[in-house]
Amino acid sequence: MTLFAYLAAEHRRIEGPLELFLQALLAGATELEQEAFRQARELAARHFELEEGILFAAVREAFAGLIGKMEAQHETVREAAGAFEAAAAGRRDRLRLGRYFQAMLQHHLIEEERDVFPLLVRFLDASRQAALLERFRNS
């Protein structure tokens, strides 16, 4: 498995509970919604942490603007998750905030695969990709 196939597989693992979250949110299935949200948020948080500490750190110097944009998207998703959690405690805009969290996270995953991965696969030689993949697997 290549580094970018590994990262795309992580994206698929996040998308499972993320899709379930959206379906449950729209259906008003609160218990399922909360569990799916928790899973999606935790998977995304772990993925972001590793990405920032391993992949982004490895290419920051060469792609500072792009990495800054991806980290800003990570922060937007984190903030959207926090806003949804606050809304779950009684604010009326819970549905809007839940959909915003889902949309921002999904958008980020798509943008990484569409824009970032193809660029970095050409930038990082095979041995560097293998070393980074090993760090992801061991983290």
Side-chain angles (χ1 to χ4, degrees), residues 24-43:
L25 178 70
L26 295 174
T30 306
E31 276 187 43
L32 181 57
E33 165 198 305
Q34 290 299 317
E35 178 58 21
F37 170 76
R38 184 192 61 73
Q39 288 177 6
R41 184 196 67 225
E42 288 176 4
L43 287 169

PDB file of all heavy atoms in Angstrom, residues 24-43:
ATOM      1  N   ALA A  24     -28.594  10.373  10.215  1.00  0.00           N
ATOM      2  CA  ALA A  24     -29.262  10.389  11.524  1.00  0.00           C
ATOM      3  C   ALA A  24     -29.678  11.802  11.912  1.00  0.00           C
ATOM      4  O   ALA A  24     -30.766  12.005  12.467  1.00  0.00           O
ATOM      5  CB  ALA A  24     -28.343   9.789  12.587  1.00  0.00           C
ATOM      6  N   LEU A  25     -28.849  12.777  11.620  1.00  0.00           N
ATOM      7  CA  LEU A  25     -29.165  14.175  11.908  1.00  0.00           C
ATOM      8  C   LEU A  25     -30.429  14.589  11.176  1.00  0.00           C
ATOM      9  O   LEU A  25     -31.346  15.174  11.763  1.00  0.00           O
ATOM     10  CB  LEU A  25     -27.990  15.073  11.493  1.00  0.00           C
ATOM     11  CG  LEU A  25     -28.159  16.577  11.678  1.00  0.00           C
ATOM     12  CD1 LEU A  25     -28.144  16.937  13.159  1.00  0.00           C
ATOM     13  CD2 LEU A  25     -27.037  17.322  10.939  1.00  0.00           C
ATOM     14  N   LEU A  26     -30.494  14.279   9.904  1.00  0.00           N
ATOM     15  CA  LEU A  26     -31.654  14.660   9.088  1.00  0.00           C
ATOM     16  C   LEU A  26     -32.911  13.911   9.506  1.00  0.00           C
ATOM     17  O   LEU A  26     -34.019  14.443   9.403  1.00  0.00           O
ATOM     18  CB  LEU A  26     -31.360  14.434   7.606  1.00  0.00           C
ATOM     19  CG  LEU A  26     -30.250  15.311   7.019  1.00  0.00           C
ATOM     20  CD1 LEU A  26     -29.942  14.898   5.590  1.00  0.00           C
ATOM     21  CD2 LEU A  26     -30.606  16.792   7.108  1.00  0.00           C
ATOM     22  N   ALA A  27     -32.745  12.683   9.993  1.00  0.00           N
ATOM     23  CA  ALA A  27     -33.890  11.869  10.421  1.00  0.00           C
ATOM     24  C   ALA A  27     -34.315  12.150  11.854  1.00  0.00           C
ATOM     25  O   ALA A  27     -35.362  11.675  12.296  1.00  0.00           O
ATOM     26  CB  ALA A  27     -33.548  10.384  10.259  1.00  0.00           C
ATOM     27  N   GLY A  28     -33.501  12.905  12.585  1.00  0.00           N
ATOM     28  CA  GLY A  28     -33.825  13.189  13.984  1.00  0.00           C
ATOM     29  C   GLY A  28     -33.559  12.019  14.913  1.00  0.00           C
ATOM     30  O   GLY A  28     -34.130  11.944  16.000  1.00  0.00           O
ATOM     31  N   ALA A  29     -32.692  11.103  14.512  1.00  0.00           N
ATOM     32  CA  ALA A  29     -32.336   9.937  15.326  1.00  0.00           C
ATOM     33  C   ALA A  29     -31.179  10.335  16.253  1.00  0.00           C
ATOM     34  O   ALA A  29     -30.011  10.077  15.964  1.00  0.00           O
ATOM     35  CB  ALA A  29     -31.956   8.764  14.432  1.00  0.00           C
ATOM     36  N   THR A  30     -31.518  10.956  17.354  1.00  0.00           N
ATOM     37  CA  THR A  30     -30.540  11.629  18.197  1.00  0.00           C
ATOM     38  C   THR A  30     -29.434  10.713  18.728  1.00  0.00           C
ATOM     39  O   THR A  30     -28.261  11.084  18.687  1.00  0.00           O
ATOM     40  CB  THR A  30     -31.242  12.332  19.371  1.00  0.00           C
ATOM     41  OG1 THR A  30     -32.256  13.176  18.825  1.00  0.00           O
ATOM     42  CG2 THR A  30     -30.285  13.154  20.185  1.00  0.00           C
ATOM     43  N   GLU A  31     -29.774   9.537  19.243  1.00  0.00           N
ATOM     44  CA  GLU A  31     -28.736   8.656  19.791  1.00  0.00           C
ATOM     45  C   GLU A  31     -27.752   8.222  18.716  1.00  0.00           C
ATOM     46  O   GLU A  31     -26.539   8.268  18.916  1.00  0.00           O
ATOM     47  CB  GLU A  31     -29.363   7.421  20.445  1.00  0.00           C
ATOM     48  CG  GLU A  31     -29.803   7.664  21.868  1.00  0.00           C
ATOM     49  CD  GLU A  31     -30.253   6.375  22.529  1.00  0.00           C
ATOM     50  OE1 GLU A  31     -29.578   5.335  22.361  1.00  0.00           O
ATOM     51  OE2 GLU A  31     -31.270   6.431  23.225  1.00  0.00           O
ATOM     52  N   LEU A  32     -28.264   7.794  17.588  1.00  0.00           N
ATOM     53  CA  LEU A  32     -27.406   7.380  16.476  1.00  0.00           C
ATOM     54  C   LEU A  32     -26.589   8.563  15.971  1.00  0.00           C
ATOM     55  O   LEU A  32     -25.398   8.434  15.688  1.00  0.00           O
ATOM     56  CB  LEU A  32     -28.259   6.798  15.344  1.00  0.00           C
ATOM     57  CG  LEU A  32     -27.504   6.287  14.120  1.00  0.00           C
ATOM     58  CD1 LEU A  32     -26.484   5.219  14.496  1.00  0.00           C
ATOM     59  CD2 LEU A  32     -28.503   5.750  13.103  1.00  0.00           C
ATOM     60  N   GLU A  33     -27.215   9.710  15.885  1.00  0.00           N
ATOM     61  CA  GLU A  33     -26.532  10.938  15.452  1.00  0.00           C
ATOM     62  C   GLU A  33     -25.345  11.243  16.361  1.00  0.00           C
ATOM     63  O   GLU A  33     -24.251  11.519  15.885  1.00  0.00           O
ATOM     64  CB  GLU A  33     -27.531  12.087  15.479  1.00  0.00           C
ATOM     65  CG  GLU A  33     -26.958  13.465  15.400  1.00  0.00           C
ATOM     66  CD  GLU A  33     -27.966  14.498  15.862  1.00  0.00           C
ATOM     67  OE1 GLU A  33     -29.081  14.532  15.319  1.00  0.00           O
ATOM     68  OE2 GLU A  33     -27.630  15.269  16.787  1.00  0.00           O
ATOM     69  N   GLN A  34     -25.561  11.193  17.656  1.00  0.00           N
ATOM     70  CA  GLN A  34     -24.502  11.524  18.608  1.00  0.00           C
ATOM     71  C   GLN A  34     -23.345  10.529  18.528  1.00  0.00           C
ATOM     72  O   GLN A  34     -22.176  10.922  18.577  1.00  0.00           O
ATOM     73  CB  GLN A  34     -25.053  11.589  20.037  1.00  0.00           C
ATOM     74  CG  GLN A  34     -25.962  12.765  20.273  1.00  0.00           C
ATOM     75  CD  GLN A  34     -25.260  14.100  20.058  1.00  0.00           C
ATOM     76  OE1 GLN A  34     -24.126  14.291  20.476  1.00  0.00           O
ATOM     77  NE2 GLN A  34     -25.924  15.021  19.382  1.00  0.00           N
ATOM     78  N   GLU A  35     -23.655   9.241  18.393  1.00  0.00           N
ATOM     79  CA  GLU A  35     -22.603   8.233  18.301  1.00  0.00           C
ATOM     80  C   GLU A  35     -21.822   8.379  16.995  1.00  0.00           C
ATOM     81  O   GLU A  35     -20.589   8.307  16.993  1.00  0.00           O
ATOM     82  CB  GLU A  35     -23.188   6.824  18.418  1.00  0.00           C
ATOM     83  CG  GLU A  35     -22.165   5.717  18.295  1.00  0.00           C
ATOM     84  CD  GLU A  35     -21.032   5.773  19.317  1.00  0.00           C
ATOM     85  OE1 GLU A  35     -21.164   6.395  20.387  1.00  0.00           O
ATOM     86  OE2 GLU A  35     -19.966   5.188  19.022  1.00  0.00           O
ATOM     87  N   ALA A  36     -22.519   8.585  15.909  1.00  0.00           N
ATOM     88  CA  ALA A  36     -21.843   8.750  14.617  1.00  0.00           C
ATOM     89  C   ALA A  36     -21.006  10.021  14.610  1.00  0.00           C
ATOM     90  O   ALA A  36     -19.888  10.033  14.081  1.00  0.00           O
ATOM     91  CB  ALA A  36     -22.874   8.761  13.484  1.00  0.00           C
ATOM     92  N   PHE A  37     -21.522  11.096  15.199  1.00  0.00           N
ATOM     93  CA  PHE A  37     -20.759  12.339  15.303  1.00  0.00           C
ATOM     94  C   PHE A  37     -19.483  12.110  16.103  1.00  0.00           C
ATOM     95  O   PHE A  37     -18.401  12.510  15.684  1.00  0.00           O
ATOM     96  CB  PHE A  37     -21.600  13.437  15.964  1.00  0.00           C
ATOM     97  CG  PHE A  37     -20.803  14.659  16.317  1.00  0.00           C
ATOM     98  CD1 PHE A  37     -20.413  15.558  15.339  1.00  0.00           C
ATOM     99  CD2 PHE A  37     -20.416  14.897  17.632  1.00  0.00           C
ATOM    100  CE1 PHE A  37     -19.655  16.678  15.658  1.00  0.00           C
ATOM    101  CE2 PHE A  37     -19.667  16.013  17.960  1.00  0.00           C
ATOM    102  CZ  PHE A  37     -19.289  16.906  16.968  1.00  0.00           C
ATOM    103  N   ARG A  38     -19.604  11.445  17.239  1.00  0.00           N
ATOM    104  CA  ARG A  38     -18.441  11.170  18.082  1.00  0.00           C
ATOM    105  C   ARG A  38     -17.389  10.382  17.298  1.00  0.00           C
ATOM    106  O   ARG A  38     -16.204  10.725  17.322  1.00  0.00           O
ATOM    107  CB  ARG A  38     -18.861  10.394  19.336  1.00  0.00           C
ATOM    108  CG  ARG A  38     -17.703  10.152  20.307  1.00  0.00           C
ATOM    109  CD  ARG A  38     -18.061   9.133  21.383  1.00  0.00           C
ATOM    110  NE  ARG A  38     -18.384   7.821  20.853  1.00  0.00           N
ATOM    111  CZ  ARG A  38     -17.502   6.950  20.340  1.00  0.00           C
ATOM    112  NH1 ARG A  38     -16.220   7.254  20.293  1.00  0.00           N
ATOM    113  NH2 ARG A  38     -17.887   5.779  19.885  1.00  0.00           N
ATOM    114  N   GLN A  39     -17.821   9.355  16.588  1.00  0.00           N
ATOM    115  CA  GLN A  39     -16.885   8.542  15.815  1.00  0.00           C
ATOM    116  C   GLN A  39     -16.205   9.365  14.719  1.00  0.00           C
ATOM    117  O   GLN A  39     -14.979   9.305  14.566  1.00  0.00           O
ATOM    118  CB  GLN A  39     -17.593   7.348  15.190  1.00  0.00           C
ATOM    119  CG  GLN A  39     -17.980   6.288  16.177  1.00  0.00           C
ATOM    120  CD  GLN A  39     -18.744   5.144  15.505  1.00  0.00           C
ATOM    121  OE1 GLN A  39     -18.884   5.096  14.290  1.00  0.00           O
ATOM    122  NE2 GLN A  39     -19.241   4.230  16.314  1.00  0.00           N
ATOM    123  N   ALA A  40     -16.998  10.120  13.961  1.00  0.00           N
ATOM    124  CA  ALA A  40     -16.435  10.933  12.864  1.00  0.00           C
ATOM    125  C   ALA A  40     -15.464  11.969  13.418  1.00  0.00           C
ATOM    126  O   ALA A  40     -14.375  12.157  12.880  1.00  0.00           O
ATOM    127  CB  ALA A  40     -17.549  11.600  12.064  1.00  0.00           C
ATOM    128  N   ARG A  41     -15.860  12.635  14.490  1.00  0.00           N
ATOM    129  CA  ARG A  41     -15.001  13.658  15.095  1.00  0.00           C
ATOM    130  C   ARG A  41     -13.695  13.057  15.597  1.00  0.00           C
ATOM    131  O   ARG A  41     -12.624  13.600  15.352  1.00  0.00           O
ATOM    132  CB  ARG A  41     -15.738  14.349  16.249  1.00  0.00           C
ATOM    133  CG  ARG A  41     -14.939  15.503  16.881  1.00  0.00           C
ATOM    134  CD  ARG A  41     -15.484  15.923  18.220  1.00  0.00           C
ATOM    135  NE  ARG A  41     -15.271  14.822  19.157  1.00  0.00           N
ATOM    136  CZ  ARG A  41     -16.173  14.378  20.012  1.00  0.00           C
ATOM    137  NH1 ARG A  41     -17.345  14.931  20.108  1.00  0.00           N
ATOM    138  NH2 ARG A  41     -15.901  13.363  20.810  1.00  0.00           N
ATOM    139  N   GLU A  42     -13.769  11.928  16.284  1.00  0.00           N
ATOM    140  CA  GLU A  42     -12.559  11.305  16.824  1.00  0.00           C
ATOM    141  C   GLU A  42     -11.638  10.796  15.716  1.00  0.00           C
ATOM    142  O   GLU A  42     -10.416  10.978  15.791  1.00  0.00           O
ATOM    143  CB  GLU A  42     -12.930  10.172  17.784  1.00  0.00           C
ATOM    144  CG  GLU A  42     -13.494  10.678  19.089  1.00  0.00           C
ATOM    145  CD  GLU A  42     -13.955   9.568  20.020  1.00  0.00           C
ATOM    146  OE1 GLU A  42     -13.776   8.366  19.684  1.00  0.00           O
ATOM    147  OE2 GLU A  42     -14.504   9.896  21.087  1.00  0.00           O
ATOM    148  N   LEU A  43     -12.203  10.167  14.707  1.00  0.00           N
ATOM    149  CA  LEU A  43     -11.390   9.696  13.590  1.00  0.00           C
ATOM    150  C   LEU A  43     -10.726  10.869  12.867  1.00  0.00           C
ATOM    151  O   LEU A  43      -9.539  10.811  12.525  1.00  0.00           O
ATOM    152  CB  LEU A  43     -12.231   8.881  12.614  1.00  0.00           C
ATOM    153  CG  LEU A  43     -12.652   7.486  13.082  1.00  0.00           C
ATOM    154  CD1 LEU A  43     -13.705   6.908  12.141  1.00  0.00           C
ATOM    155  CD2 LEU A  43     -11.452   6.563  13.187  1.00  0.00           C
TER     156      LEU A  43
END
